């Protein structure tokens, strides 16, 4: 009897004959992801005078099921950049491995130059556009937050088509509809960035995360928040909890459920 591990679970060759591997060959065309299954929702970010604040909750939803509640979707890259990823979690993990490999090659390089946030955003935009051109896109929306080559605040996005966009406030997913109006109250345009303090930016992001938890069925009250500045580098907190929640507003909602008007 063959006790080798590679034979476990297979019929014995001396009894049933050699295994026919042709059954494993497929003549079907190569298939790509058509609809992501496990996904993360919104990523929010806002510039302030000394840097950028970025946040994302820790939930990965399996369809409409809040399945994984400890998935970190913010990734620091060196001391000047944080990347926030929404969308398909498996594609996010692929990007994470790619960025980890890039980080290692940059740290062991002899050029003496480090990639800043603007460089990394350009790199990711080319990666996303290449995959889109192969008709095999990475189903993600990415925010790149940090400092550019002049140590000024940088914030830009790239989506699964390789489309890029820059603004003093950005949000992906449901946050693009609910959080952006709230963040734009604080920073209307680039000229107002110099007037925004770190404390005001952090508070605005926290308030927007709370509104998303109220309104977005794919969100969670546990989230990660990062602040990128020249003085402090990347300050990442991965298990923040929403505070001062109040569901009193639900009593005034009309239109569904058993209600007495």
């Amino acid at each position: 009897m063959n006790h080798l591990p590679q034979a476990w679970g297979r019929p014995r060759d001396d009894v049933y004959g050699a295994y026919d591997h042709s059954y494993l060959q497929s003549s079907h065309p190569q298939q790509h992801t058509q609809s992501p299954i496990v996904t993360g929702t919104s990523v929010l970010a806002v510039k302030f005078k000394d840097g950028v604040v970025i946040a994302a909750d820790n939930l990965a939803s399996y369809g409409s099921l809040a399945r994984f509640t400890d998935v970190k979707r913010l990734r620091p890259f060196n001391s000047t950049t944080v990347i926030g990823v929404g969308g398909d979690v498996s594609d996010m993990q692929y990007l994470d491995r790619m960025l980890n490999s890039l980080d290692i090659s940059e740290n062991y390089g002899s050029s003496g130059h480090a990639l800043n946030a603007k460089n990394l955003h350009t790199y990711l935009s080319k990666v996303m556009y290449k995959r889109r051109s192969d008709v095999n896109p990475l189903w993600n929306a990415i925010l790149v937050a940090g400092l550019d080559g002049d140590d000024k605040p940088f914030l830009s996005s790239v989506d699964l088509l390789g489309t890029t966009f820059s603004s003093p406030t950005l949000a992906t997913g449901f946050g693009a509809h609910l959080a952006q109006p709230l963040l734009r109250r604080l920073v209307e345009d680039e000229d107002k960035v110099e007037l925004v303090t770190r404390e005001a930016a952090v508070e605005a992001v926290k308030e927007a995360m709370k509104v998303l938890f109220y309104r977005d069925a794919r969100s969670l009250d546990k989230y990660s928040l990062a602040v990128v500045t020249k003085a402090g580098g990347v300050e990442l907190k991965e298990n923040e909890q929403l505070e001062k929640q109040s569901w009193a507003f639900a009593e005034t909602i009309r239109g569904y459920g058993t209600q007495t008007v």
Side-chain angles (χ1 to χ4, degrees):
M1 181 176 180
N2 188 354
H3 293 282
L4 295 177
Q6 57 265 32
W8 293 353
R10 281 181 45 188
R12 289 172 51 183
D13 290 348
D14 58 334
V15 176
Y16 299 100
Y19 186 76
D20 186 358
H21 292 277
S22 64
Y23 292 119
L24 300 176
Q25 298 177 3
S26 174
S27 60
H28 297 292
Q30 184 178 7
Q31 296 183 347
H32 301 314
T33 302
Q34 300 294 313
S35 179
I37 302 300
V38 180
T39 59
T41 184
S42 309
V43 182
L44 315 179
V46 58
K47 288 183 183 179
F48 61 96
K49 64 179 181 178
D50 297 320
V52 187
V53 179
I54 183 170
D57 67 35
N58 295 348
L59 179 67
S61 300
Y62 180 76
S64 60
L65 174 67
R67 178 62 182 85
F68 306 102
T69 58
D70 194 30
V71 177
K72 310 300 192 299
R73 297 189 290 121
L74 297 186
R75 188 202 189 280
F77 188 92
N78 59 48
S79 61
T80 64
T81 309
V82 174
I83 299 164
V85 185
D88 188 67
V89 171
S90 61
D91 285 345
M92 179 187 74
Q93 293 168 336
Y94 169 81
L95 284 169
D96 187 59
R97 291 192 297 270
M98 179 184 294
L99 292 173
N100 187 55
S101 176
L102 178 64
D103 196 17
I104 292 172
S105 64
E106 285 296 313
N107 287 331
Y108 281 91
S110 58
S111 64
H113 299 285
L115 294 178
N116 55 53
K118 189 173 183 179
N119 301 146
L120 200 59
H121 176 258
T122 302
Y123 172 80
L124 287 172
S125 68
K126 303 303 181 186
V127 169
M128 301 297 278
Y129 184 76
K130 195 268 181 187
R131 289 292 296 261
R132 170 257 190 186
S133 299
D134 292 340
V135 200
N136 185 22
L138 296 170
W139 291 74
N140 298 110
I142 305 171
L143 297 189
V144 180
L147 306 175
D148 62 15
D150 298 323
D151 291 329
K152 294 181 179 179
F154 176 87
L155 177 59
S156 195
S157 69
V158 58
D159 64 11
L160 78 166
L161 298 178
T163 306
T164 62
F165 184 76
S166 297
S167 175
T169 64
L170 285 174
T172 72
F174 214 51
H177 306 283
L178 287 181
Q180 273 285 53
L182 302 176
L183 298 176
R184 283 173 178 163
R185 291 181 183 175
L186 178 69
V187 191
E188 295 179 3
D189 51 45
E190 290 286 351
D191 296 334
K192 300 293 179 62
V193 171
E194 290 297 324
L195 305 177
V196 179
T197 64
R198 170 177 173 154
E199 292 74 19
V202 170
E203 186 60 33
V205 169
K206 287 184 176 180
E207 196 63 30
M209 293 298 292
K210 187 186 298 183
V211 171
L212 286 174
F213 179 58
Y214 290 155
R215 298 290 186 177
D216 185 0
R218 307 292 177 266
S219 63
L220 192 67
D221 59 349
K222 187 172 68 171
Y223 63 97
S224 301
L225 185 143
V227 180
V228 187
T229 60
K230 181 180 179 180
V234 175
E235 303 171 46
L236 175 62
K237 299 178 181 178
E238 293 188 324
N239 289 294
E240 294 290 282
Q241 190 77 27
L242 292 179
E243 300 175 350
K244 300 178 182 178
Q245 297 181 37
S246 173
W247 293 89
F249 70 89
E251 298 178 1
T252 64
I253 295 176
R254 296 291 181 266
Y256 58 89
T258 303
Q259 300 168 3
T260 302
V261 179

